[in-house]
Amino acid sequence: MSDLIVDFAGPVATATVNRPAARNAMTMAMYEALADFCARVDDSPEVRVAVVRGAGGKAFVAGTDINHFRDFRGVADGIAYERRIESVLGRLEQVGVPTVAVVEGYATGGGLGIAAACDLRLCTPGARFGLPIARTLGNCVSMPTYARLAHLIGTARTLHLIYTAGFVDGAEAVRIGLATELVTDADTSLAELCTQLAGHAPLTMRASKTALRRLREHPLPPDEDLISLCYGSDDFREGVSAFLEKRPPRWRGR
């Protein structure tokens, strides 16, 4: 089975992240496959809704597979990685039809970034949204990802989520604006939403999502100094090693 299962069924296109044994952690090949899915959606005039979800019911996407970071040697690797991930998230955000993330279980790190790049986020009560990098790897995310999160839940809540390295459940995610709807039966609710969206004016929805994205995308400040600060640090190398060795990291702030 493919690690990213793609299904085009009438007006609905679905990409299912399919590594449930690894909590649907993403490899670079899977990120590229997601970008290819977005391009195919935009090349398919019959598609009116695009869905991203995770297989297995226990995770949406638990970030990037940590093994990818084993060979990082310094700042250049971190900058290249964040640029590569952002190219995919930006492509997802720019899909011309409404995009829906279905979050069951964990949406963490890069998974939170994928969910935030979608227009709508359905979640179940057992959903867990988080960005625990201050506890795990000691890295950071790209400026556009910070901007998306701050746009959704505000600066203070974004910082609280990062500083505490905690998780927000489904009900709380809807309350603070991180998710758009709390559902108990994800499949039924998704089908109803897709039917509704497929019946609405596509140009109105495209213009609206583009306008709102433009409001947020005023020139963002640079972030390479911040990415360099984290990915070039001893703390990041310690974080990766500690995660893989299943022990608490020893942070030194350098």
Side-chain angles (χ1 to χ4, degrees):
M1 293 289 287
S2 171
D3 287 340
L4 189 82
I5 300 172
V6 171
D7 178 62
F8 281 67
V12 181
T14 304
T16 302
V17 180
N18 187 41
R19 292 185 74 205
R23 288 191 175 182
N24 295 326
M26 297 280 284
T27 64
M28 291 300 105
M30 292 165 68
Y31 280 115
E32 295 305 320
L34 181 58
D36 291 343
F37 167 77
C38 295
R40 184 178 168 190
V41 167
D42 280 340
D43 288 339
S44 304
E46 72 279 7
V47 173
R48 296 295 184 86
V49 187
V51 176
V52 182
R53 65 187 314 178
K58 294 184 178 180
F60 170 67
V61 173
T64 299
D65 191 322
I66 301 300
N67 287 300
H68 178 70
F69 301 117
R70 283 181 183 270
D71 297 327
F72 274 33
R73 293 294 178 263
V75 170
D77 293 318
I79 292 175
Y81 165 75
E82 289 297 339
R83 295 294 174 263
R84 189 174 181 185
I85 299 305
E86 179 49 37
S87 71
V88 177
L89 299 186
R91 184 65 186 86
L92 174 60
E93 190 174 44
Q94 292 173 20
V95 167
V97 300
T99 53
V100 182
V102 181
V103 179
E104 301 173 274
Y106 287 91
T108 62
L112 180 61
I114 292 171
C118 290
D119 300 329
L120 303 175
R121 286 157 295 282
L122 301 185
C123 68
T124 60
R128 295 292 183 271
F129 297 83
L131 192 58
I133 52 179
R135 175 170 51 81
T136 55
L137 298 186
N139 61 329
C140 62
V141 296
S142 68
M143 192 65 72
T145 293
Y146 284 121
R148 290 185 190 102
L149 292 173
H151 181 73
L152 290 173
I153 62 176
T155 301
R157 289 192 186 280
T158 299
L159 287 175
H160 185 270
L161 192 66
I162 295 168
Y163 285 3
T164 62
F167 294 93
V168 173
D169 65 21
E172 180 69 1
V174 172
R175 190 184 73 81
I176 66 176
L178 190 53
T180 51
E181 186 177 353
L182 184 68
V183 300
T184 54
D185 185 334
D187 291 336
T188 299
S189 296
L190 175 65
E192 292 173 351
L193 178 61
C194 288
T195 297
Q196 182 182 30
L197 296 177
H200 288 172
L203 296 183
T204 296
M205 293 187 289
R206 178 177 299 186
S208 297
K209 68 180 288 181
T210 302
L212 292 170
R213 187 183 73 245
R214 287 178 183 175
L215 284 174
R216 198 200 70 239
E217 284 182 340
H218 54 79
L220 293 174
D223 61 2
E224 289 195 0
D225 59 326
L226 305 177
I227 294 173
S228 298
L229 175 71
C230 292
Y231 282 95
S233 69
D234 292 337
D235 272 359
F236 174 68
R237 288 184 286 277
E238 165 65 11
V240 172
S241 296
F243 191 97
L244 293 170
E245 294 167 11
K246 302 185 185 305
R247 60 173 175 80
R250 295 181 290 272
W251 306 120
R252 292 182 170 82
R254 62 176 189 270

